[in-house]
Amino acid sequence: MRFLFALILLAGIGIGAIYPWAMSNFSGHEIGTWRVYEQGRFKPVTVALSSSDEPVRVLVDLTAKAERIVSQQHTVLTLTAATNGHTVLASTLQFNHSDNPRQASPQLPDKIFRDEAGLIPTVNPGPYVFTVGPGDAEGIEMRSVDLILRSGVGEIDKRAQPVGFSLVAVGAIGFMLSLRRSGGGRPENPNSQPPAPRWGRGAK
């Protein structure tokens, strides 16, 4: 039973955590990367998209001098995407769920944090203007910000994370109970008891 619960636990981690992360970062192919913030200045970028790119996932990489981003309920960055004067995506980014940031360089203390701005499911061929700006979070030493677009990405099943977390809970509880049961029901080794005396008081 212990092995079965361990498999359930691993399956829950895969479905609830690894699957959404892999779909967001590796499904489809990358359209390109654009620098939208450097040397204290934000600048909008214009990208020509076609219907063959849809759906387009919008990701943002933040390079900052920090071990982690503690933004709580504050917004670190804002992002909008518009085409033909119509906004097709508006998002706020907090980056506080990035537990494993990438190292920008072995010689620098900077870390790269990634957050997802959202998905553009339908693309009308033409130029799209992406505008990234500052939020209301303070105390974050930003070095640079990059916009990443991925096309043809798979849609994440919204049921995956709840199911995955449920399997993690079941697997963890079952695994712990199986450990307790195996520890309490182990038979006593008869050789662990000292032999009875053969003479004197208490001899048999």
Side-chain angles (χ1 to χ4, degrees):
M1 291 298 292
R2 188 186 308 174
F3 179 71
L4 174 61
F5 285 121
L7 287 179
I8 294 175
L9 177 62
L10 292 175
I13 294 173
I15 296 173
I18 298 177
Y19 160 71
W21 175 80
M23 288 293 289
S24 297
N25 293 278
F26 297 107
S27 64
H29 65 275
E30 185 172 310
I31 299 174
T33 301
W34 294 265
R35 181 62 50 90
V36 294
Y37 173 84
E38 195 172 35
Q39 298 180 348
R41 296 181 58 184
F42 287 94
K43 60 179 181 180
V45 296
T46 302
V47 182
L49 298 177
S50 65
S51 56
S52 61
D53 293 326
E54 65 181 42
V56 174
R57 192 173 301 280
V58 183
L59 304 167
V60 177
D61 278 355
L62 166 65
T63 302
K65 186 180 179 181
E67 289 298 323
R68 59 178 300 182
I69 302 297
V70 183
S71 58
Q72 297 179 351
Q73 300 300 319
H74 297 284
T75 298
V76 178
L77 296 173
T78 62
L79 180 145
T80 60
T83 182
N84 295 324
H86 299 287
T87 299
V88 295
L89 178 65
S91 179
T92 59
L93 306 171
Q94 295 181 322
F95 297 94
N96 54 12
H97 64 278
S98 300
D99 296 328
N100 296 305
R102 308 193 308 275
Q103 187 78 34
S105 170
Q107 292 78 30
L108 298 174
D110 300 344
K111 299 292 180 64
I112 302 175
F113 302 85
R114 172 166 289 191
D115 204 350
E116 181 180 338
L119 190 72
I120 303 176
T122 303
V123 175
N124 294 318
Y128 282 71
V129 180
F130 294 86
T131 305
V132 177
D136 58 355
E138 299 178 352
I140 300 174
E141 297 185 44
M142 292 190 296
R143 305 295 195 193
S144 62
V145 178
D146 293 319
L147 171 74
I148 302 97
L149 301 181
R150 297 189 65 86
S151 73
V153 296
E155 184 69 25
I156 299 175
D157 193 331
K158 295 181 180 179
R159 300 169 296 177
Q161 285 191 320
V163 171
F165 294 152
S166 298
L167 290 176
V168 168
V170 171
I173 294 172
F175 188 78
M176 295 301 296
L177 290 176
S178 66
L179 288 179
R180 292 180 59 184
R181 289 175 181 173
S182 62
R186 183 177 299 170
E188 186 177 355
N189 185 358
N191 296 325
S192 63
Q193 299 296 326
R198 296 183 179 181
W199 56 272
R201 183 177 297 177
K204 295 183 179 179

